[in-house]
Amino acid sequence: MEPFEKIYEENFPRVYAFLFRLCRDENLAEELTQETFFQAFRSFHRFRGDSELFTWLASIAKHTFYGYMRKNKTQLECINIDLVTEVLCEDADRGPEETVQKKMTSETLRAMIRRIPEKYRDVVMLRLYAELPFSQVAAALKISENSAKVIFHRAKKMLTEELKHEHYL
C-alpha cells in the first residue's frame, strides 16, 4: 500500500491536470482522477514497466474519461478544444477577427473530432492534452513511436484540410 501511496502523491497533479484539460470541470476532473487511481490500484499487478508510469496512468485516465462519456451520454463538447485549435490554427493569419474565427474553428473542430476514427482521436488527445512525447503515446496505445507520429500527422492534416474546406483557415 505504501508504494502506491507514493505513486498517487507523485502523479496525482499530472493526472488531474490531464483530465482537467479534457473536461474543463474541476469536480469532474477530481472524480475521474480518483477513479483512475482506483483502477490503477486494482490493476497495478499488471503494470510491467514497459512504459513510464505516467504513460500507463494517462492511458487509464483516457479510458476512464471515455467510459464516463459513454455512461453519461456525454459528447465531446466537454473536451477542451482550445489546445487543438491553437495547434491547427498556428499558421493562420491573425487579424481583428481572430477571436471570432477561433471560436468558429473550435465549434467546427469539435464536430470533426467526433467523426475521426478512435485511433486518431486517442493520439491527438494523449499528445496535446497529456503533453506526452510520441514515445509515451506509442507505449500507451501499444503502437510504434513512428506510427504515433504518422497517426498524429495524419489526424492534424485531416482536421486542417476539413477546416480549410469549411473556410475557417
Side-chain angles (χ1 to χ4, degrees):
M1 187 69 164
E2 284 183 32
F4 197 80
E5 284 181 33
K6 184 176 180 185
I7 290 168
Y8 176 85
E9 289 172 8
E10 291 175 356
N11 290 280
F12 179 90
R14 203 164 165 204
V15 171
Y16 172 83
F18 169 58
L19 288 165
F20 180 76
R21 292 178 91 182
L22 289 176
C23 67
R24 296 182 301 183
D25 180 299
E26 292 176 7
N27 294 326
L28 179 58
E30 175 80 29
E31 180 181 328
L32 294 174
T33 302
Q34 295 297 334
E35 180 63 24
T36 297
F37 279 101
F38 175 70
Q39 295 300 326
F41 180 76
R42 289 180 52 203
S43 60
F44 192 66
H45 64 280
R46 287 185 267 163
F47 178 65
R48 297 182 309 264
D50 295 341
S51 63
E52 289 188 27
L53 185 60
F54 177 74
T55 302
W56 181 68
L57 291 169
S59 181
I60 294 170
K62 175 189 63 114
H63 289 293
T64 301
F65 177 71
Y66 283 157
Y68 173 84
M69 288 176 35
R70 275 190 303 276
K71 182 179 176 185
N72 294 287
K73 295 183 175 80
T74 305
Q75 297 298 319
L76 291 172
E77 277 79 18
C78 62
I79 290 179
N80 183 351
I81 212 66
D82 296 336
L83 295 171
V84 180
T85 304
E86 298 261 334
V87 169
L88 294 178
C89 298
E90 62 193 2
D91 297 327
D93 291 351
R94 301 294 180 207
E97 301 166 350
E98 176 183 340
T99 304
V100 172
Q101 181 181 3
K102 283 178 84 173
K103 181 175 169 99
M104 291 170 50
T105 301
S106 292
E107 291 169 6
T108 300
L109 196 52
R110 284 181 199 282
M112 289 188 302
I113 287 177
R114 278 189 225 112
R115 295 189 302 260
I116 65 174
E118 185 176 346
K119 74 177 185 178
Y120 293 100
R121 193 170 52 238
D122 288 350
V123 170
V124 168
M125 290 176 71
L126 289 173
R127 178 74 176 149
L128 296 179
Y129 297 133
E131 299 177 347
L132 295 178
F134 284 112
S135 60
Q136 292 181 12
V137 170
L141 299 176
K142 295 180 176 57
I143 58 176
S144 71
E145 183 174 343
N146 194 48
S147 291
K149 290 177 182 178
V150 168
I151 290 169
F152 182 76
H153 174 75
R154 287 180 181 166
K156 185 176 173 179
K157 184 176 180 182
M158 186 185 329
L159 294 169
T160 302
E161 288 302 315
E162 193 165 336
L163 283 172
K164 284 180 182 177
H165 178 71
E166 296 288 331
H167 307 290
Y168 287 108
L169 296 180

